[in-house]
Amino acid sequence: MNIGIVGAGAIANFLMKEFNQNETGEMRIKSVFVRNRVKYQELEHQFDVKLFDRLDAFLESGIDLVVEAANIAAVHELLQQILPKKDVVLISIGALADTDFLREMNDLAETYERTIHLPSGAIGGLDLLQNAHATGGVTDVSITTRKPARTLINHEAATEEVVVFDGKASEAIRQFPKNINVSIILSLAGVGVEQTNVTIIADPAVENNIHTIDIKGDFGTASFSVTNNPLAENPKTSYLAAMSILGTLKRITNHIKIGG
């Protein structure tokens, strides 16, 4: 399978290294869509890919699937142009916090018989949540995200943890668009962005991001925590988030599906 990537940041580089340099399975990154070809020209030689700055040429470059690895603004701008032609793996899931946009993209995917794949990112347990909510029986979903204080506030003045946000996922993604994608994938798997509770804590005592998820419903209760190590290429990105995209791509071609 030939893959095209939108974006050329840390996650895009991680995927190009895994597929093109480490020869992971039968998948390969063939094309990369960027705004500035000159800036990223070295990628062509480093990973044996072709750079494009025109979306139509990128989509017609012999790729089977598009991976969005850019940002929320790029999703809003490009997704409706990509879906009529290709399935998409979406990384900037925060774009789907806009319920009108989510509805429009769902309708577009249905019209063109396309699939939007959403990796689980830096958390887990989404299969449990989806199964527990199969009959609408989940009543409460919350996520508490604890981050190093320096990533959220003036950490030099912080001697103890500070709650920087406590509210619904819909507002969390508006205030922290680069920090809380996990709350949106959790919302989509469960009770929605207006019912999913989010707490964000700046903690000078921690070095890694820690996500704690609590679920209640007819099935019973579930609680689990994930501590994320950073991606070597970019400490602001979790290693698990990058691996979740790699795992999603590998599962697409599997004939035996686990969970779900």
Side-chain angles (χ1 to χ4, degrees), residues 3 10 20 27 41 43 56 60-61 83 88 90 92 97 104-105 111 121 134 152 160 173 183 185 210 223 234:
I3 300 169
N20 292 17
M27 289 187 173
Q41 197 69 49
L43 295 178
D56 55 349
E60 295 169 4
S61 64
L83 273 179
V88 179
L90 198 66
S92 303
E104 291 171 8
M105 293 305 101
T111 298
L152 293 171
E160 56 186 36
I173 196 66
S183 71
I185 188 64
I210 303 171
S223 181
N234 183 354

Side-chain angles (χ1 to χ4, degrees), residues 9-11 122 147-148 150-151 178-179 206-211 228-242:
I11 287 181
K147 289 175 171 278
R150 66 180 180 276
T151 66
K178 296 181 179 180
N179 289 279
V206 303
E207 290 298 321
N208 296 334
N209 296 342
I210 303 171
H211 305 289
N228 293 126
N229 289 330
L231 182 65
E233 292 82 353
N234 183 354
K236 294 182 179 180
T237 300
S238 83
Y239 188 29
L240 181 58

Side-chain angles (χ1 to χ4, degrees), residues 148-165:
R150 66 180 180 276
T151 66
L152 293 171
I153 61 174
N154 179 9
H155 70 285
E156 294 179 355
T159 57
E160 56 186 36
E161 65 181 48
V162 177
V163 176
V164 297
F165 180 85

Side-chain angles (χ1 to χ4, degrees), residues 9 25 57 69-70 153 158 164 172 180 196 215 224:
I153 61 174
V164 297
I180 203 67
T196 301
I215 304 168
F224 52 93

Side-chain angles (χ1 to χ4, degrees), residues 99-124:
T99 53
D100 290 336
F101 181 74
L102 172 61
R103 188 180 307 109
E104 291 171 8
M105 293 305 101
N106 182 73
D107 291 345
L108 191 63
E110 183 177 356
T111 298
Y112 289 95
E113 298 183 343
R114 297 296 179 188
T115 301
I116 303 173
H117 301 274
L118 304 180
S120 57
I123 60 172

Side-chain angles (χ1 to χ4, degrees), residues 67-203:
V67 176
E68 174 276 318
N71 52 50
I72 290 175
V75 175
H76 282 292
E77 178 185 352
L78 302 175
L79 186 56
Q80 67 180 40
Q81 301 174 63
I82 296 172
L83 273 179
K85 297 184 177 181
K86 304 293 175 183
D87 289 353
V88 179
V89 175
L90 198 66
I91 295 174
S92 303
I93 295 172
L96 302 182
D98 182 333
T99 53
D100 290 336
F101 181 74
L102 172 61
R103 188 180 307 109
E104 291 171 8
M105 293 305 101
N106 182 73
D107 291 345
L108 191 63
E110 183 177 356
T111 298
Y112 289 95
E113 298 183 343
R114 297 296 179 188
T115 301
I116 303 173
H117 301 274
L118 304 180
S120 57
I123 60 172
L126 299 182
D127 55 343
L128 182 155
L129 176 55
Q130 287 179 300
N131 293 338
H133 200 46
T135 59
V138 169
T139 56
D140 297 282
V141 179
S142 65
I143 178 169
T144 299
T145 292
R146 189 177 298 271
K147 289 175 171 278
R150 66 180 180 276
T151 66
L152 293 171
I153 61 174
N154 179 9
H155 70 285
E156 294 179 355
T159 57
E160 56 186 36
E161 65 181 48
V162 177
V163 176
V164 297
F165 180 85
D166 188 17
K168 301 301 181 182
S170 57
E171 182 60 27
I173 196 66
R174 281 193 283 268
Q175 293 191 30
F176 300 91
K178 296 181 179 180
N179 289 279
I180 203 67
N181 262 326
V182 289
S183 71
I184 304 306
I185 188 64
L186 189 69
S187 301
L188 293 173
V191 296
V193 294
E194 298 299 339
Q195 287 76 42
T196 301
N197 299 303
V198 178
T199 303
I200 305 174
I201 299 173
D203 190 340

